[in-house]
Amino acid sequence: MVKITVYGAAKEIGRSAVLIEDKDTRILLDCGLKIRPKQPTIPPEGIDEIAKDLHGVILSHAHFDHSGYIPKLVRLGYKGTIHMTHPTKDICAVLWRDHLKIEGDRHWTEDNMYDTLYQISTHYYDRSFKIADGVTATFFDAGHILGSASILLNWKGQLIFYTGDINTFATPYHDSNKYPQLEDISVVISEATNGLRDLPNREKPNLAIVDAIYNTRRNSGITIIPTFALGRGQEIEAILAREFIGSNFKIYMDGMLLKMNQIYRSYFTEYWVSKKIMNWCKDHRIEVPFDLRNFIPMNRNIADNLDTFRKMIVTEKKPNIILSTSGMLEGGPMHSYLLHGATKPENLIAISGYQVEGTIGRSIVDGERNIQLFNWSRNRKGQGTKIEIKAKVRQFQFSGHAQRNELIKMLKAINSDKYIFVHCVEEAAQSVQKEFDRKKTSYIPKAGDSFNIEN
Ligand SMILES: [Zn+2]
Ligand SMILES: [Zn+2]
């Protein structure tokens, strides 16, 4: 008998962690932190107690809600291997280092992080590897971000499939997700992030954002695109590359996005990104989409005083597009662009991702126009500058996750009659669950719930 315990991402998004065990073996899938606006991050509850006794850890992908607490396992005495794909390791190294700058050693230290990196073993898709005696794993391309994987466990003959985060739509860099076409999968542990959303077809947000940029330009405005550094950022770069190649639009890229671009560059091979984007680059004699001549990285090579340069590009009357972190407007160079650019009615703030409640991004999407920039241009009292947003604000429906109909189609196509839904609010899981016939059992666990799976 195998027991599955859901430690996190139960009826919520954030702090993913699932333990699979029998009497001899304990394997943890993912171990993330939940990021909360203006509050400290929180780990999966109860995970500290089991860290030392694990026999293996497998990471689906680098996003912080899946990877952020892994160095803590090492701090608590976990000495075994941590399995992931090659890009996931490189991205984690950047994200973990960045996290130390933001939150310090609240959960783990720099030393813990380096120890963790030593314990990592990297793997390709579609090739099984050993985790423990009698247990092997295979990564399937999840189509979500660079290196993202779903995990198929062969547990002493029993098959367990964990989707991690998946995208059923092909995006510019990645094909749609893959899943095992096998008989008798004992249980599927699936994300249901978009269980309440049927998104328009994939081309719609691409066309909409491009249209909005042209409209803004017609009114002599500049488009500011706050974006996530990893995945969404590169996706938008590819959309802009396709549209604005050879044009007089200049695309300025800034913040953490630049570091992630370099990792995308080092894995720009047919194995890790789609053939389509490789061919497009080959046709245009460039290595990666963001190498086009009108794509400009905002680094020290471009100006000694970056902030003065930022002010210039967001206020000059030229066809400029600014692509910068942070994606939810919570900090980063984005605040410099907002300070100088958001107060002009001709400009556009094009929101390109989901905005968590409590973030500045969410508040302006909901109509708030007076915001406080809290880590940029502090006034004498040490508070951030208050600004009134006069630029237009529009949100575009991009998503890195399987949308409702496609998710249901995929889950039905997998040969299993047991499903556990994680990484979603309860209503989203219920909305997917009600499409299943009675022969299938499905659960929406709360944190700490366990399930026994008989052979
Ligand atoms: Zn993710
Ligand atoms: Zn996630």
Side-chain angles (χ1 to χ4, degrees):
M1 191 169 67
V2 182
K3 185 171 150 191
I4 299 176
T5 308
V6 178
Y7 277 87
K11 301 188 187 185
E12 66 173 348
I13 296 169
R15 51 173 168 171
S16 289
V18 182
L19 179 72
I20 320 274
E21 63 185 319
D22 63 14
K23 59 183 187 4
D24 308 308
T25 315
R26 276 175 299 278
I27 309 285
L28 187 66
L29 308 180
D30 288 351
C31 197
L33 279 165
K34 181 163 178 148
I35 298 175
R36 303 176 301 167
K38 300 166 197 75
Q39 290 180 75
T41 54
I42 41 170
E45 261 169 65
I47 212 86
D48 289 9
E49 283 86 75
I50 60 163
K52 208 161 66 337
D53 304 319
L54 295 169
H55 298 100
V57 175
I58 315 177
L59 177 59
S60 64
H61 68 294
H63 272 150
F64 208 68
D65 58 322
H66 300 256
S67 70
Y69 205 56
I70 287 179
K72 179 64 182 268
L73 301 175
V74 172
R75 180 181 210 165
L76 291 170
Y78 175 64
K79 296 209 160 39
T81 307
I82 303 149
H83 302 271
M84 61 189 73
T85 64
H86 308 69
T88 298
K89 179 181 179 181
D90 286 2
I91 301 166
C92 278
V94 175
L95 291 185
W96 288 340
R97 225 170 283 148
D98 190 62
H99 179 74
L100 283 169
K101 276 193 252 158
I102 298 167
E103 217 179 19
D105 52 10
R106 217 180 107 73
H107 301 296
W108 40 265
T109 65
E110 194 173 357
D111 282 350
N112 301 144
M113 179 189 80
Y114 285 115
D115 289 343
T116 306
L117 290 167
Y118 278 120
Q119 282 170 238
I120 291 174
S121 170
T122 50
H123 306 277
Y124 292 100
Y125 296 129
D126 309 318
R127 297 182 201 169
S128 83
F129 50 91
K130 186 182 167 182
I131 306 289
D133 282 342
V135 182
T136 60
T138 311
F139 284 143
F140 286 76
D141 187 349
H144 172 64
I145 57 165
L146 183 68
S148 64
S150 299
I151 303 163
L152 178 70
L153 283 179
N154 186 329
W155 193 285
K156 304 167 190 181
Q158 246 179 303
L159 300 176
I160 297 161
F161 185 59
Y162 172 61
T163 63
D165 290 359
I166 45 170
N167 200 345
T168 44
F169 282 141
T171 52
Y173 274 87
H174 306 291
D175 294 328
S176 57
N177 74 306
K178 312 274 187 304
Y179 54 86
Q181 322 267 348
L182 297 165
E183 291 300 315
D184 289 334
I185 294 179
S186 297
V187 60
V188 178
I189 306 157
S190 176
E191 69 129 310
T193 317
N194 283 336
L196 290 169
R197 288 214 294 178
D198 268 319
L199 297 169
N201 79 47
R202 195 51 198 71
E203 283 298 308
K204 221 169 173 179
N206 300 2
L207 298 173
I209 200 166
V210 162
D211 256 9
I213 292 168
Y214 282 123
N215 272 334
T216 304
R217 176 60 196 146
R218 269 193 286 277
N219 300 319
S220 308
I222 282 166
T223 301
I224 304 168
I225 310 178
T227 185
F228 306 133
L230 176 59
R232 183 62 39 78
Q234 290 73 30
E235 185 180 343
I236 306 258
E237 282 164 357
I239 294 162
L240 300 179
R242 209 164 56 183
E243 182 64 30
F244 298 112
I245 183 169
S247 79
N248 61 351
F249 275 90
K250 285 208 168 83
I251 296 108
Y252 293 94
M253 304 167 291
D254 204 347
M256 181 80 154
L257 177 70
L258 297 176
K259 282 190 194 161
M260 292 304 166
N261 276 356
Q262 289 321 312
I263 301 181
Y264 263 79
R265 181 191 299 282
S266 54
Y267 288 97
F268 205 77
T269 67
E270 230 172 77
Y271 191 82
W272 298 107
V273 301
S274 74
K275 208 180 252 178
K276 212 161 93 189
I277 197 149
M278 297 265 331
N279 288 340
W280 189 88
C281 288
K282 228 180 271 167
D283 289 348
H284 295 92
R285 294 164 193 256
I286 46 173
E287 199 187 324
V288 286
F290 44 88
D291 270 351
L292 285 177
R293 240 186 317 182
N294 52 343
F295 276 66
I296 299 147
M298 291 289 288
N299 52 34
R300 296 274 165 212
N301 295 336
I302 192 149
D304 286 337
N305 188 333
L306 270 184
D307 212 36
T308 312
F309 197 80
R310 286 182 182 124
K311 182 177 176 185
M312 186 193 87
I313 59 170
V314 81
T315 50
E316 66 185 359
K317 295 280 169 217
K318 288 192 177 164
N320 295 344
I321 301 169
I322 287 146
L323 197 57
S324 174
T325 49
S326 80
M328 299 193 198
L329 293 82
E330 285 290 276
M334 182 42 63
H335 278 210
S336 183
Y337 296 115
L338 291 177
L339 178 68
H340 304 296
T343 49
K344 310 232 166 11
E346 66 273 23
N347 291 346
L348 169 71
I349 302 170
I351 307 280
S352 66
Y354 177 74
Q355 304 293 306
V356 169
E357 201 137 343
T359 60
I360 297 179
R362 178 62 171 268
S363 73
I364 71 163
V365 166
D366 289 345
E368 180 59 54
R369 286 298 173 264
N370 294 299
I371 61 164
Q372 190 155 14
L373 304 173
F374 49 81
N375 71 350
W376 214 276
S377 301
R378 287 176 191 281
N379 63 22
R380 256 177 264 141
K381 286 184 194 140
Q383 292 157 336
T385 308
K386 284 191 178 142
I387 59 162
E388 189 191 347
I389 295 184
K390 296 205 178 102
K392 285 170 212 67
V393 177
R394 275 191 65 186
Q395 188 172 28
F396 297 88
Q397 298 296 319
F398 291 99
S399 178
H401 296 272
Q403 52 96 41
R404 186 174 180 277
N405 273 346
E406 297 288 319
L407 178 68
I408 292 164
K409 215 181 344 170
M410 184 202 87
L411 292 174
K412 285 183 173 172
I414 295 177
N415 288 308
S416 182
D417 50 22
K418 245 188 211 73
Y419 296 81
I420 298 171
F421 292 111
V422 292
H423 203 284
C424 58
V425 294
E426 187 171 9
E427 297 75 31
Q430 283 165 344
S431 160
V432 175
Q433 194 177 39
K434 72 171 198 273
E435 299 295 321
F436 283 14
D437 62 40
R438 281 202 207 104
K439 273 185 266 150
K440 293 184 190 287
T441 345
S442 58
Y443 308 96
I444 309 169
K446 57 181 190 314
D449 280 357
S450 293
F451 305 89
N452 290 325
I453 311 291
E454 311 285 340
N455 316 11

